Amino acid sequence: MKGVSDRLAAVGHGRVRRLRNRVHKTALILTLLAVSPAAFSQTATRSLPPNYAPPPSTLEVSITLSIPGGTGVLGVEDGPPSGWAASNISNGGTYDVPSGKVKWGPFIAPSIPTALTYEVTPNGPGSSDCFVGTASFDGLDVTIGGDACMIAVPAASFWGLVVMSELLLISATLTLLRRAAV
């Protein structure tokens, strides 16, 4: 008798476990349905040049916004690397010197732009030449994706080019000599 009750109890526990899993899956689906589908299509993407020369070069930063229908209000903040100066900010944006951020908005529908731009002037290569920003769609904050960091490329001097040419010539000669030896 004891073996049968143990088997029935095991079958019962299996049913309880399956029912519990169904409840968890149903709760997850209901949670996802409660979030507006438009929330998944809100994006902000930054485009930067891959590298830059030390000052006084000026670089253009552009932010492309994917705004789903029904969005009522948009605000954007982008933070260039510390000490970099921002200028020529599009769409009535401003540069907040104390926070070091370029700010736009609030934009109210139907006058929400799909692209924002500004220029930055590097103050020289730093430990972190990265941008950090946020776009707020109806109060839902989204991190600006896309390009975030840049690499400083030192300016080439006449003597730097001479040395580089010599190194390339030596390297090519050694490669040819190795191939001839084989």
Side-chain angles (χ1 to χ4, degrees):
M1 217 28 157
K2 193 170 194 171
V4 172
S5 66
D6 287 341
R7 282 190 216 146
L8 287 174
V11 169
H13 287 299
R15 287 183 183 153
V16 168
R17 192 175 324 120
R18 283 191 301 272
L19 181 61
R20 186 178 315 132
N21 286 342
R22 282 188 198 149
V23 168
H24 288 290
K25 288 178 185 175
T26 304
L28 176 63
I29 290 169
L30 291 174
T31 302
L32 290 175
L33 289 175
V35 176
S36 166
F40 293 107
S41 63
Q42 299 169 342
T43 60
T45 307
R46 182 186 308 102
S47 295
L48 300 170
N51 50 47
Y52 67 95
S57 65
T58 300
L59 313 166
E60 183 173 282
V61 179
S62 64
I63 300 170
T64 304
L65 302 163
S66 174
I67 304 164
T71 300
V73 180
L74 171 76
V76 178
E77 289 186 353
D78 197 27
S82 179
W84 288 27
S87 61
N88 296 329
I89 302 166
S90 71
N91 301 84
T94 59
Y95 180 60
D96 182 33
V97 176
S99 70
K101 293 184 179 183
V102 180
K103 298 181 178 186
W104 290 272
F107 297 109
I108 300 170
S111 300
I112 299 176
T114 57
L116 304 169
T117 60
Y118 66 100
E119 292 179 354
V120 289
T121 303
N123 65 348
S127 59
S128 174
D129 295 338
C130 295
F131 292 69
V132 178
T134 305
S136 180
F137 298 86
D138 289 330
L140 177 66
D141 290 346
V142 175
T143 301
I144 297 175
D147 300 333
C149 298
M150 299 175 64
I151 299 170
V153 176
S157 68
F158 172 77
W159 289 110
L161 292 174
V162 170
V163 170
M164 186 183 304
S165 298
E166 290 292 324
L167 290 174
L168 287 172
L169 183 60
I170 292 169
S171 176
T173 304
L174 291 175
T175 301
L176 290 174
L177 290 174
R178 282 189 201 143
R179 288 186 182 168
V182 174

